[in-house]
Amino acid sequence: FNVFYFLQSLFSSLQLHSNFVSIFYILDGRILQRSKRGWMWNQFFLLEEYTGNDHQYVGKLHSNMDKGEGNVKYVLTGDGAGTLFLIDEKSGDIHATKRLDREEKAMYTLHAKVLDRNTNAELEPDTEFNIKIHDINDNAPKFAKDIYLASVPEMSEVGTSVVTVTATDADDQTYGNSAKLVYSILQGQPYFSVDSENGTIKTALPGMDREVKENYQVVIQAKDMAGQMGGLSGTTTVSITLSDVNDSPPRFANHSFRVTAVESTEIEGAIGRIKADDPDNGRNAEMEYSIVGGHDIFNIITDQTTQEGVIIIKKALDYESKRDYEFRVEVKNTYLDARFIHGLQFKDYATVKVTVEDVDEPPVFTRNPYIIEVHEDTAAGSFVGVVSARDPDADNKPVKYSIDRHTDLERLFNIDPVNGTITTLKALDREMSKWHNVSVVATQINNPRQTTRVPVFIKVLDVNDNAPEFAMSYDTFVCENVKAGQLIQTISAVDTDEPLVGHKFVFSISATNPNFTIEDREDNTANILTLRGGFSRREMSMYFLPVVISDNDYPIQSSTSTLIVRVCACDSRGNMQSCSPEVLPFSDGLTTGALVAILLCVIILLMIVVLFAALRRQRKKEPLIISKEDVRDNVVSYNDEGGGEEDTQAFDIGTLRNPEVMDANKLRRDIIPEMLFPFRRTSPIKDNTDVRDFINGRLQENDSDPTAPPYDSLATYAYEGSGSLAESLSSLESAATEGDQDYDYLSNWGPQFKKLADYRQQVDATTSKL
């Protein structure tokens, strides 16, 4: 009965389904078979990674309809049916065709059918069942990274957590120990340990000092099967760095430093550096330097980049006054860790000795700058002031003085090179320049490279040497209908001088004036009033009123300025209308109209003369050759010396030889062209042109050419006519004399050349006579 109930509970847990496979019961030691409708397992189990050569047997399907006669056919459908899983149609045996991996797929769902082999009719309903892949330990543990980076502060207590590294196993976590991992440390003892369950790395050694060793390589192993023999494993490397803490104070390697400084070092200039050592890094190694008790000559600052103490000077050094200094320097960390300050002094001290070296210094003036006052009426060669400089070195070398002439371009001042006395070279004028800024140079006589400049500001004091004058140019007028006592102008004055108590001007008229008077207003202005009325432009269109202006400084200066008063016509309100004088008739009876007529006549006569001259320039010149029968052969004769070798435009023989070339629009350089556009000559007629007509045409063009020279000239042209079979008949380039010429051969060329031969003989005869 115990076996019976065990099997019954087992079958219930496996969810038995009706149809197909029979169920066996065990009772009283006998095995009984109950044939109801048939039963089958709804799950089959298969180990992954099967390595056999044949197909792996999975299970068997059997139906009660199968009587063993071969009429039943089993059909399998679903996941992997026909590829991963095959079924024997007759027996119902199921086989796997290849190795299966649970990590790829853990369960396959299939459907089984029972068909009549002959009719393909379903003998049993479609039944679903699963094939589960049982896991085996075929995957080793793997870490997410091959190398982990971690850090932990130095001097940490034992058991301080550093980092947790976790491995994963692809095997089934719920089945056996294939995925149960155990962590262990293979490398890194005795400094670190690892938690076997969760992979947490912890410190295992107290007092680990970064200054002794900073980096550690720890190898961690993860092994499955709970670490038992035969399990698979994986490893990773953890690079652990000890981070710094401020557990080391700064210390001077040498507690005494010697620094040398030249006395010419500028203020805030560095004269030396000192360095303390701190094995910490980062902000834990940052230091601060200071002078114990302070110092009035020196100071020390910290170079944040190099953590050095830079010694600088606060006041100028003087070798002649003091040559040696000594002070104490303190160095300490700027950041302290409270865990380590007990029992340690995080500061250190050192002594610094400074030796001042002598240098050849330039002269030093007793004042800088100098301000000197001098009156503007001081004569040339007068005393202005004295400058003084000395050599600050112990030997007190002599000094000479000079003025930088770039600051005294007008050469107004001079200086004595020995005693530094400044005098004037010219008289000074305050109204031209109130201040003069010159530079005086002091130079050591035995070392001219040692020089010093000092500015000297010379103020020119005022002397009353300028008289007052009108403040502006006044445009004053008086109306013809003005009444006596009428205000016509208010005047004021200016003075280029600058008295100590201000200006005070006095206005007056130099002589008694019957027309105008002046009224001083006691405020450096005055009113001009009329003494009478009834002014007339016809009688007097303009009055000149001399006004005397005096100042009150010493010596008194005065000047006379003339006020011009015009007489104008005004309306009843006194508004000016016209100030032009009335035009009066001349005594000889000529009126303005007559003068205008005379002027027009003169202009007309001038225009006639100009036109006549222009017409004469356009007049045609008389030709030298009157007769049309008188034709010359290439003779150019004119009584003109020409422009020499540079006169290349006077005559162009090439143009005579090639008349078809267009004349260039070139003007003669020896005359002035009279037309805006040059005269254009017409080209000769090319076909059957008579030579005489061509020459006459050229003669007419030359006579009518406005650009021809103003003197007589003769121009002849060697034109043979178009289409001539003969060569040039010109005698200009002939080697024979004119008397040797024979032109009978021209008759052999045809009738058209007979007349040309006659012309040639006439020309030769005429030439011989000339």
Side-chain angles (χ1 to χ4, degrees):
F1 286 99
N2 293 333
V3 176
F4 172 79
Y5 287 115
F6 169 75
L7 292 175
Q8 188 179 20
S9 61
L10 176 61
F11 294 156
S12 298
S13 65
L14 294 177
Q15 300 178 1
L16 293 178
H17 190 73
S18 62
N19 299 342
F20 302 124
V21 183
S22 301
I23 302 300
F24 296 90
Y25 292 92
I26 301 175
L27 181 62
D28 295 333
R30 294 178 296 172
I31 299 177
L32 303 178
Q33 181 177 9
R34 180 184 178 185
S35 296
K36 202 174 183 181
R37 288 186 56 201
W39 300 86
M40 68 161 288
W41 299 94
N42 71 338
Q43 294 189 80
F44 294 94
F45 296 93
L46 181 65
L47 291 176
E48 66 172 334
E49 300 293 338
Y50 173 72
T51 59
N53 295 327
D54 297 331
H55 291 174
Q56 183 180 6
Y57 178 76
V58 178
K60 181 181 180 64
L61 297 179
H62 184 73
S63 174
N64 291 337
M65 302 300 294
D66 187 1
K67 304 301 182 178
E69 298 175 355
N71 296 325
V72 176
K73 180 174 67 173
Y74 295 94
V75 177
L76 190 65
T77 61
D79 293 341
T83 56
L84 294 179
F85 304 100
L86 299 178
I87 188 170
D88 191 325
E89 294 181 354
K90 295 180 180 181
S91 64
D93 293 336
I94 302 174
H95 294 81
T97 61
K98 66 177 183 180
R99 299 170 60 181
L100 301 178
D101 189 358
R102 189 200 66 83
E103 285 69 45
E104 294 182 2
K105 191 168 184 178
M107 186 177 67
Y108 296 85
T109 302
L110 296 98
H111 296 267
K113 293 181 181 181
V114 179
L115 304 177
D116 187 290
R117 184 175 296 276
N118 298 321
T119 63
N120 283 334
E122 290 188 2
L123 301 178
E124 293 285 349
D126 187 348
T127 301
E128 179 180 295
F129 66 95
N130 298 323
I131 298 178
K132 287 188 175 181
I133 310 300
H134 271 292
D135 183 51
I136 64 174
N137 190 18
D138 60 344
N139 290 282
K142 291 184 179 180
F143 288 93
K145 299 179 181 178
D146 294 333
I147 298 178
Y148 288 86
L149 300 178
S151 65
V152 63
E154 63 175 332
M155 300 296 178
S156 296
E157 297 180 355
V158 175
T160 302
S161 177
V162 180
V163 67
T164 299
V165 293
T166 304
T168 58
D169 196 322
D171 292 327
D172 192 355
Q173 302 285 339
T174 62
Y175 180 78
N177 293 326
S178 297
K180 187 176 182 179
L181 306 181
V182 174
Y183 298 91
S184 62
I185 183 167
L186 301 182
Q187 177 182 325
Q189 298 95 344
Y191 306 103
F192 300 95
S193 63
V194 63
D195 191 308
S196 61
E197 294 183 359
N198 56 28
T200 301
I201 301 174
K202 301 178 181 180
T203 58
L205 191 66
M208 287 190 295
D209 193 354
R210 185 198 65 85
E211 288 73 33
V212 176
K213 186 177 181 181
E214 184 176 3
N215 298 311
Y216 298 85
Q217 299 293 325
V218 179
V219 179
I220 302 297
Q221 174 185 271
K223 189 174 183 181
D224 59 11
M225 298 300 291
Q228 299 176 5
M229 293 290 292
L232 302 178
S233 65
T235 60
T236 187
T237 301
V238 182
S239 178
I240 300 176
T241 302
L242 296 182
S243 59
D244 185 61
V245 297
N246 193 9
D247 60 339
S248 299
R251 291 289 182 263
F252 285 109
N254 185 5
H255 289 79
S256 179
F257 295 89
R258 181 172 295 276
V259 179
T260 302
V262 296
E263 62 174 335
S264 60
T265 304
E266 298 180 353
I267 297 178
E268 300 297 330
I271 61 174
R273 290 173 175 256
I274 62 176
K275 182 72 167 62
D277 298 323
D278 191 332
D280 296 323
N281 61 12
R283 70 170 185 171
N284 297 321
E286 292 179 358
M287 294 174 283
E288 181 180 8
Y289 298 86
S290 61
I291 296 178
V292 179
H295 203 279
D296 56 348
I297 302 296
F298 302 97
N299 190 19
I300 187 169
I301 60 176
T302 303
D303 187 335
Q304 298 298 332
T305 302
T306 62
Q307 294 299 312
E308 293 178 316
V310 183
I311 302 174
I312 61 175
I313 63 171
K314 297 193 299 184
K315 294 182 180 180
L317 302 177
D318 189 3
Y319 174 82
E320 289 73 27
S321 299
K322 190 173 182 179
R323 303 179 183 181
D324 296 298
Y325 297 89
E326 182 176 329
F327 50 87
R328 196 174 184 211
V329 175
E330 176 189 84
V331 61
K332 62 182 180 179
N333 285 132
T334 58
Y335 169 76
L336 298 178
D337 193 332
R339 297 176 298 172
F340 305 102
I341 61 176
H342 303 290
L344 290 176
Q345 188 177 13
F346 280 78
K347 60 178 64 177
D348 199 9
Y349 300 90
T351 301
V352 178
K353 296 181 180 180
V354 180
T355 301
V356 181
E357 292 184 348
D358 186 31
V359 295
D360 190 5
E361 300 176 84
V364 177
F365 283 93
T366 57
R367 283 190 294 167
N368 189 3
Y370 286 87
I371 300 177
I372 302 174
E373 295 181 348
V374 60
H375 286 87
E376 65 174 325
D377 60 349
T378 301
S382 300
F383 172 81
V384 176
V386 178
V387 297
S388 177
R390 66 175 183 84
D391 183 9
D393 296 322
D395 50 4
N396 194 15
K397 301 171 184 176
V399 176
K400 67 176 181 179
Y401 304 92
S402 62
I403 292 178
D404 184 356
R405 290 306 174 185
H406 292 91
T407 62
D408 184 25
L409 298 177
E410 298 180 359
R411 302 185 69 84
L412 299 176
F413 304 97
N414 191 26
I415 190 171
D416 190 295
V418 178
N419 56 28
T421 300
I422 300 176
T423 57
T424 58
L425 290 175
K426 298 179 182 178
L428 305 179
D429 188 359
R430 191 199 67 86
E431 285 69 41
M432 295 297 294
S433 180
K434 298 180 181 180
W435 287 88
H436 297 279
N437 303 334
V438 298
S439 293
V440 175
V441 181
T443 307
Q444 288 186 7
I445 295 179
N446 60 341
N447 188 4
R449 292 179 298 178
Q450 295 294 340
T451 62
T452 303
R453 294 173 176 267
V454 67
V456 179
F457 302 108
I458 301 174
K459 182 180 181 181
V460 181
L461 301 179
D462 183 49
V463 173
N464 190 28
D465 57 349
N466 291 280
E469 57 186 10
F470 279 155
M472 57 185 299
S473 178
Y474 296 101
D475 184 13
T476 306
F477 70 93
V478 61
C479 296
E480 289 182 317
N481 56 355
V482 72
K483 297 180 181 180
Q486 183 71 40
L487 173 64
I488 62 173
Q489 185 69 60
T490 298
I491 60 175
S492 62
V494 293
D495 193 340
T496 56
D497 291 323
E498 190 175 330
L500 297 177
V501 295
H503 292 292
K504 176 59 181 175
F505 300 126
V506 178
F507 300 88
S508 62
I509 298 178
S510 59
T512 302
N513 193 300
N515 301 311
F516 306 98
T517 185
I518 191 168
E519 180 183 41
D520 196 335
R521 301 177 61 182
E522 304 294 334
D523 60 353
N524 293 334
T525 61
N527 293 334
I528 305 298
L529 307 174
T530 57
L531 286 179
R532 66 180 182 88
F535 290 90
S536 174
R537 289 178 292 167
R538 180 173 298 182
E539 295 179 359
M540 182 71 69
S541 62
M542 190 177 299
Y543 292 89
F544 299 93
L545 180 63
V547 178
V548 179
I549 309 174
S550 304
D551 58 21
N552 64 339
D553 205 353
Y554 179 82
I556 296 177
Q557 300 288 340
S558 63
S559 66
T560 301
S561 300
T562 302
L563 182 66
I564 301 175
V565 182
R566 295 181 298 157
V567 180
C568 302
C570 303
D571 57 14
S572 58
R573 297 182 179 180
N575 297 323
M576 180 181 65
Q577 292 180 338
S578 175
C579 293
S580 300
E582 294 181 355
V583 180
L584 300 177
F586 293 96
S587 59
D588 55 357
L590 292 177
T591 62
T592 303
L595 292 176
V596 173
I598 293 173
L599 182 61
L600 289 175
C601 292
V602 172
I603 293 174
I604 293 172
L605 289 175
L606 290 176
M607 292 176 62
I608 293 173
V609 171
V610 172
L611 291 175
F612 180 77
L615 292 175
R616 285 183 60 85
R617 293 181 63 86
Q618 297 293 333
R619 185 169 57 88
K620 296 183 179 179
K621 297 186 290 291
E622 191 72 17
L624 295 177
I625 301 176
I626 303 302
S627 175
K628 293 184 179 180
E629 300 293 332
D630 191 3
V631 180
R632 306 299 175 97
D633 179 22
N634 287 347
V635 177
V636 178
S637 176
Y638 52 94
N639 189 18
D640 179 32
E641 186 176 0
E645 293 181 355
E646 296 182 358
D647 188 5
T648 59
Q649 298 181 358
F651 182 77
D652 187 6
I653 192 72
T655 304
L656 297 179
R657 296 175 180 174
N658 189 9
E660 294 183 4
V661 177
M662 297 298 294
D663 292 337
N665 295 330
K666 297 181 180 179
L667 301 179
R668 292 286 299 271
R669 292 188 299 177
D670 55 347
I671 63 173
I672 299 176
E674 298 180 358
M675 295 181 66
L676 181 62
F677 300 97
F679 179 81
R680 288 187 174 272
R681 293 173 174 167
T682 59
S683 300
I685 302 175
K686 297 182 179 180
D687 299 332
N688 300 325
T689 302
D690 186 77
V691 176
R692 182 177 59 185
D693 295 337
F694 162 73
I695 294 177
N696 289 334
R698 285 290 182 164
L699 180 60
Q700 294 296 329
E701 290 175 358
N702 191 64
D703 291 340
S704 59
D705 186 0
T707 62
Y711 38 77
D712 293 334
S713 63
L714 177 62
T716 60
Y717 306 90
Y719 178 64
E720 298 174 355
S722 301
S724 176
L725 299 177
E727 296 179 354
S728 174
L729 302 180
S730 173
S731 61
L732 290 178
E733 298 179 353
S734 177
T737 61
E738 293 180 354
D740 298 332
Q741 296 291 336
D742 185 10
Y743 303 101
D744 293 335
Y745 63 91
L746 295 176
S747 300
N748 299 328
W749 291 357
Q752 63 270 29
F753 293 98
K754 183 176 183 305
K755 190 173 183 179
L756 180 60
D758 297 336
Y759 284 149
R760 183 66 185 183
Q761 293 177 358
Q762 294 178 7
V763 170
D764 291 342
T766 304
T767 303
S768 61
K769 292 179 180 180
L770 293 176

